[in-house]
């Protein structure tokens, strides 16, 4: 392991009675770090705060921000995974009182994805693993991730850069580690995440960007047959940005104009963050 | 913390990059230990092995058994929580190769539940938190337990010893930390756990006991209105055994004959284990 901090202090281990381990009782964020800067930091911190509220965990936004910026300064460029747990607890599900959360920061290199994924697009693997519908946890980036582990284990063929996940009712929801958008008759569409799925920070950024770029945009339920007939499809997350989808089962797509406009927006955002350092 | 072993060695901490922490990627067992003996050990180990197969984790049953018996000998009497994780992993959901699971054993005292819970029964809190339907994980005692954390947070009133959980379709499934049985016209009924829920070791023991005691028994879907009209209702787990339910919303029950027969079976089982030490 490379750079790891626990509650602001270098560490390699965490207490065995942490509830993050016992129950997946916590949240995480995956942050892109460029020259010590974090492009979408405020959105990440807002989502973390919202997650804490929904899981009834105390929030320490100013402290997280200070820790993560100090960590980013030391990391330079790479990925910072922030993992927030409810801290130690006795045996049993009752919330510990007092609750002393732990904030773990794990540094790693930026993944070396082939540049063609951004320029020529990716093939999407249609996962058989479905997302269960749990409105109480939907949208959160929490630590209960066995569905993603199972979905990611479905393919080893490197021609597939991501997998598509549907919910147990068959609706299109997201990728295994990304959100999904499609373009239909000039309108941007991304699935509702009120029953399951992770409300990604890059998704939120692109929804805001679409609005400022006057691209019509709607968040709604999305059927698989609709997706297969879309004009454009792309995946996004905070680390790689935007990958156009060029193939899913028998459907194929060229890279489209809306996807390109959003990629340009993102290039600008990332280069600005980088120059600011 | 009291007695804790990690892979057979005393420990207080675990690696920060363990996938149990990152994704809840693992399983657990909660074992009753009496004078160094574990009454239902074989059933616990079988369930753990089955869980590993379903999560594609390597199994080391002989090693777990040796570790847990050595741990029980040192603990004497209490609870041994066995927590098995997929071990360390890089960032990303792909299964680590090779996979080196970690086996954590956490010792604690037997909880001091009031004896009246077994003799006079308990009141059940009707939880609003529903269990999401995920057949791929149903039955497993895995580390994704946020639903139980949320459900247990719904009540603080100590008059409720357990909470009742239904699935998102409204079917009766289980307690927050127990399984549920009802008796209807002399027949024992316990819910199907193929969509959600934990297939408890005590549940399995009581199903087998019912068969040998010639108590008719069926595993099937169970509607909430049926439960409210049952002749007897009880909860069970490996630590406390059997608690009759005497109240749920407007329904109330005296302790019934089938519940009592199964409690007698269990008393015998536990005293035999204890004497064997």
């Amino acid at each position: 392991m490379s750079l790891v901090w626990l509650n602001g202090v270098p560490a390699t281990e965490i207490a065995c009675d942490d509830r993050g381990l016992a129950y997946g009782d916590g949240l995480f964020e995956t942050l892109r770090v460029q020259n010590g800067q974090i492009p979408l930091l405020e959105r990440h911190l807002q989502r973390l705060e919202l997650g804490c509220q929904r899981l009834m965990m105390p929030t320490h936004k100013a402290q997280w921000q200070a820790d993560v910026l100090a960590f980013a300064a030391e990391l330079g460029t790479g990925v910072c995974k922030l993992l927030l747990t409810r801290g130690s607890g006795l045996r049993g599900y009752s919330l510990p009182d007092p609750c002393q959360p732990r904030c773990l920061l794990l540094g790693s290199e930026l993944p070396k994805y082939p540049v063609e994924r951004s320029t020529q697009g990716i093939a999407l693997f249609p996962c058989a693993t479905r997302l269960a519908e749990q409105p109480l946890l939907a949208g959160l980036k929490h630590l209960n991730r066995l569905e993603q582990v199972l979905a990611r284990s479905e393919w080893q063929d490197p021609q597939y850069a991501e997998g598509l996940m549907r919910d147990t009712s068959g609706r299109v929801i997201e990728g295994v580690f990304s959100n999904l958008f499609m373009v239909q008759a000039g309108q941007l569409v991304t699935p509702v995440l009120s029953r399951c799925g992770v409300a990604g920070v890059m998704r939120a950024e692109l929804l805001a960007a679409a609005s400022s770029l006057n691209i019509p945009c709607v968040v709604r339920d999305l059927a698989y047959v609709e997706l297969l007939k879309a004009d454009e499809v792309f995946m996004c997350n905070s680390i790689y940005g935007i990958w156009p989808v060029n193939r899913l089962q028998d459907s194929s797509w060229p890279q489209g104009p809306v996807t390109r406009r959003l990629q340009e927006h993102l290039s600008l955002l990332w280069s600005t963050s980088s120059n600011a350092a």
Side-chain angles (χ1 to χ4, degrees), chain A residues 113 117-118 122 161-162 177 233-235 240-245:
Chain A
Y113 297 125
R117 291 193 184 175
S118 298
I122 62 162
E162 238 294 31
F177 56 95
V233 180
F234 66 87
M235 312 302 289
Y240 67 68
I242 294 173
W243 286 341
V245 175

Side-chain angles (χ1 to χ4, degrees), chain A residues 136-163:
Chain A
L136 296 176
L137 298 174
L140 301 184
K141 202 169 169 82
H142 55 67
L143 299 178
N144 281 198
R145 291 287 151 220
L146 275 171
E147 290 177 327
Q148 282 71 28
V149 172
L150 292 179
R152 185 59 191 83
S153 76
E154 288 187 46
W155 82 93
Q156 277 74 45
D157 186 339
Q159 74 167 291
Y160 298 106
E162 238 294 31

Side-chain angles (χ1 to χ4, degrees), chain A residues 82-104:
Chain A
L82 184 164
L83 205 150
L84 188 72
T85 79
R86 206 185 298 271
S88 289
L90 299 171
R91 212 180 53 78
Y93 295 112
S94 300
L95 302 185
D97 182 21
C99 171
Q100 299 184 297
R102 287 195 177 92
C103 180
L104 189 64

Side-chain angles (χ1 to χ4, degrees), chain A residues 159-258:
Chain A
Q159 74 167 291
Y160 298 106
E162 238 294 31
L164 175 71
M165 296 195 76
R166 284 161 275 179
D167 66 16
T168 44
S169 304
R171 299 177 199 97
V172 170
I173 303 296
E174 61 189 5
V176 177
F177 56 95
S178 317
N179 284 115
L180 175 143
F181 284 81
M182 75 166 190
V183 179
Q184 190 183 61
Q187 188 184 53
L188 201 57
V189 182
T190 193
V192 172
L193 303 178
S194 60
R195 302 180 200 90
C196 54
V198 176
V201 157
M202 185 55 78
R203 173 178 178 271
E205 172 64 22
L206 296 180
L207 286 171
S211 172
S212 64
L213 294 169
N214 290 316
I215 302 170
C217 189
V218 62
V219 179
R220 64 165 172 84
D221 286 339
L222 203 169
Y224 190 56
V225 289
E226 270 188 295
L227 180 69
L228 293 176
K229 293 179 198 158
D231 300 324
E232 305 176 33
V233 180
F234 66 87
M235 312 302 289
C236 67
N237 80 18
S238 297
I239 303 305
Y240 67 68
I242 294 173
W243 286 341
V245 175
N246 60 33
R247 190 163 57 82
L248 170 63
Q249 293 198 300
D250 294 335
S251 298
S252 62
W253 296 274
Q255 193 178 351
V258 177

Side-chain angles (χ1 to χ4, degrees), chain A residues 16-164:
Chain A
C16 287
D17 65 354
D18 192 275
R19 289 174 58 111
L21 179 66
Y23 306 130
D25 194 4
L27 300 157
F28 71 110
E29 295 288 333
T30 314
L31 309 123
R32 182 183 173 96
V33 182
Q34 304 176 178
N35 302 319
Q37 303 287 304
I38 302 169
L40 298 169
L41 179 58
E42 182 55 26
R43 288 192 190 277
H44 283 288
L45 295 174
Q46 278 174 8
R47 178 174 59 179
L48 193 59
E49 193 166 36
L50 184 70
C52 283
Q53 286 161 5
R54 286 179 56 192
L55 294 184
M56 296 161 286
M57 283 167 62
T59 60
H60 300 283
K61 197 175 159 195
Q63 183 66 57
W64 304 330
Q65 177 154 359
D67 281 0
V68 94
L69 284 172
F71 186 87
E74 191 160 329
L75 184 67
T77 292
V79 174
C80 168
K81 178 166 176 174
L82 184 164
L83 205 150
L84 188 72
T85 79
R86 206 185 298 271
S88 289
L90 299 171
R91 212 180 53 78
Y93 295 112
S94 300
L95 302 185
D97 182 21
C99 171
Q100 299 184 297
R102 287 195 177 92
C103 180
L104 189 64
L105 301 175
L106 298 137
S108 57
E109 287 186 15
L110 274 181
K112 292 176 180 59
Y113 297 125
V115 67
E116 293 74 29
R117 291 193 184 175
S118 298
T119 54
Q120 293 163 37
I122 62 162
L124 212 50
F125 181 85
C127 294
T129 303
R130 300 298 178 100
L131 291 164
E133 297 172 29
Q134 176 48 274
L136 296 176
L137 298 174
L140 301 184
K141 202 169 169 82
H142 55 67
L143 299 178
N144 281 198
R145 291 287 151 220
L146 275 171
E147 290 177 327
Q148 282 71 28
V149 172
L150 292 179
R152 185 59 191 83
S153 76
E154 288 187 46
W155 82 93
Q156 277 74 45
D157 186 339
Q159 74 167 291
Y160 298 106
E162 238 294 31
L164 175 71

